[in-house]
Amino acid sequence: MSKLWYREIGFYNNPFSIKPASFHDELIAYDLDYIYSKIDNGQMIFIDGTYGSGKTTILKNIINRYRGDKKVIYYNYNLAKKDFNIKNLIKGSNSFINKIMGIKPHNIILLLDEIKKLKKNNAKQTLKYYHKGIIKSVIFVNNDYYEVDFPEEIEDLLDGNVIRTAKLSEKEAIALIRRRIGNIKILSDEIIKKIFARSEKNPRKLLENCEDICRHAIEEEMEDVVTQDHIKEVIGREEKKKKEKFKNEKKIKKKKESQKKKQQSKKETKKTISAKTKKNKVPEYNIVFYNE
């Protein structure tokens, strides 16, 4: 069995892994202390950002910071098997000893992820426990703040506390990759810049592209230094696939629209024929013959 590509350059694991657990404390372009201060002051926060822009990394850092107090509850609307029930979540978070001693949970930090499906009544229940001091701080997370239908009071509490995950700068992109691989020669700063320029300034996309390009250089080209040709080959191939996919989707959409128009036209023709038939139809009479 051949060596994994990253073993060829001295890594035991994939240095560009996008699994949050792999590099849970890695954070680029965000002020964590600012977020921590909001939590410590018992505020509600909304973290807004596109897929791959670092929301999960922020949550991992929050969990790692506060988990020692055993007062962190994390709930993901997309992954949860049970419906959201704040009462049960709080009850389940209380330790066995506290239950025996009759100590009720308090100062809980609640992290609600992928909350597009959050219902208003659930939000109101959460608010009730927040006002009682059982919940100290709530961190809402979603791709778009405006997708969520919050009660007015929560909107007021979130005023000024919506944190949007920013796109990386060129300097931050280089720092991210250097933290992963150090100063080994496979990727120069200039090459990282070029990959970054074609990664939509998205950290996840940058890592994925670096992985694909490095793998291509090592496995297919048998080279240990990435060049611009490798970038063109790999990203160009991906971009070509995307264009083809877009074209196919466009064709399918056009075909569906055409079929829809034809069906609509047939319906309208049938209606017209039916209306004409009705108009020209000779009225029927019941004729009774009498014998004289």
Side-chain angles (χ1 to χ4, degrees):
M1 186 179 172
S2 60
K3 263 189 181 182
L4 293 165
W5 68 269
Y6 46 82
R7 300 264 171 100
E8 298 283 352
I9 53 171
F11 291 95
Y12 186 76
N13 293 311
N14 178 9
F16 302 115
S17 174
I18 56 171
K19 292 176 183 175
S22 301
F23 296 87
H24 64 78
D25 61 342
E26 177 181 80
L27 202 71
I28 304 283
Y30 310 114
D31 185 353
L32 268 181
D33 289 333
Y34 175 76
I35 294 170
Y36 294 154
S37 69
K38 295 278 184 187
I39 294 168
D40 292 338
N41 289 328
Q43 296 183 36
M44 287 192 177
I45 306 164
F46 191 103
I47 299 171
D48 172 313
T50 56
Y51 180 70
S53 63
K55 300 188 302 296
T56 304
T57 306
I58 292 172
L59 288 178
K60 287 275 179 183
N61 277 273
I62 292 169
I63 290 166
N64 286 329
R65 180 180 175 90
Y66 295 100
R67 75 194 310 171
D69 298 330
K70 295 182 180 178
K71 290 183 178 179
V72 177
I73 296 174
Y74 173 82
Y75 182 91
N76 185 308
Y77 270 81
N78 286 347
L79 301 177
K81 291 177 182 177
K82 293 182 180 179
D83 289 340
F84 180 81
N85 186 314
I86 188 61
K87 188 178 179 180
N88 288 344
L89 286 172
I90 290 168
K91 193 178 176 183
S93 72
N94 203 15
S95 71
F96 179 69
I97 294 168
N98 282 353
K99 284 175 185 175
I100 290 172
M101 294 178 72
I103 300 169
K104 291 182 179 180
H106 64 286
N107 286 342
I108 286 167
I109 294 161
L110 179 64
L111 289 83
L112 299 178
D113 201 358
E114 306 289 353
I115 62 160
K116 186 179 178 180
K117 297 174 186 174
L118 175 70
K119 293 175 183 174
K120 260 190 178 177
N121 63 319
N122 289 335
K124 285 176 182 176
Q125 283 295 311
T126 302
L127 195 58
K128 185 177 83 174
Y129 286 101
Y130 176 74
H131 285 316
K132 285 181 178 179
I134 294 168
I135 294 173
K136 178 181 181 177
S137 175
V138 186
I139 297 92
F140 299 102
V141 183
N142 198 54
N143 290 347
D144 186 355
Y145 172 79
Y146 296 103
E147 281 183 341
V148 188
D149 186 19
F150 282 122
E152 195 175 331
E153 191 178 347
I154 289 183
E155 283 185 350
D156 291 341
L157 289 166
L158 288 171
D159 188 27
N161 282 354
V162 177
I163 298 164
R164 289 187 170 86
T165 51
K167 289 184 176 181
L168 293 182
S169 69
E170 201 174 67
K171 190 178 177 182
E172 288 160 347
I174 294 167
L176 171 60
I177 301 305
R178 287 284 163 247
R179 283 189 65 176
R180 293 295 187 102
I181 64 169
N183 290 315
I184 61 171
K185 65 178 182 177
I186 190 164
L187 291 172
S188 68
D189 286 0
E190 284 306 309
I191 286 294
I192 294 169
K193 285 178 189 178
K194 289 184 188 302
I195 298 171
F196 172 66
R198 298 180 76 167
S199 301
E200 301 165 15
K201 296 185 178 180
N202 184 305
R204 187 186 185 94
K205 191 71 182 166
L206 173 65
L207 290 167
E208 286 174 343
N209 282 338
C210 284
E211 179 182 347
D212 291 343
I213 292 162
C214 288
R215 184 194 292 112
H216 170 78
I218 293 165
E219 289 184 348
E220 296 180 40
E221 304 294 335
M222 305 298 178
E223 294 175 11
D224 59 359
V225 176
V226 169
T227 66
Q228 199 163 339
D229 289 338
H230 297 140
I231 298 171
K232 284 179 184 176
E233 176 66 27
V234 175
I235 297 183
R237 192 166 55 200
E238 288 302 312
E239 286 173 351
K240 194 178 177 183
K241 279 182 187 176
K242 277 185 183 178
K243 281 180 184 177
E244 284 173 3
K245 190 183 175 185
F246 178 74
K247 277 183 183 178
N248 289 335
E249 284 173 353
K250 206 174 178 182
K251 279 181 185 177
I252 292 164
K253 193 180 177 183
K254 204 173 179 182
K255 194 177 178 182
K256 281 181 179 177
E257 284 174 357
S258 177
Q259 286 173 344
K260 198 176 177 182
K261 280 180 183 178
K262 281 179 183 178
Q263 286 173 353
Q264 191 66 33
S265 179
K266 279 180 183 178
K267 281 181 184 178
E268 285 172 5
T269 305
K270 279 181 182 178
K271 279 182 184 178
T272 306
I273 292 166
S274 177
K276 282 182 179 178
T277 307
K278 199 173 181 182
K279 191 178 178 183
N280 298 329
K281 195 174 181 183
V282 178
E284 292 180 1
Y285 298 95
N286 289 326
I287 302 173
V288 180
F289 292 94
Y290 294 94
N291 290 325
E292 290 180 359

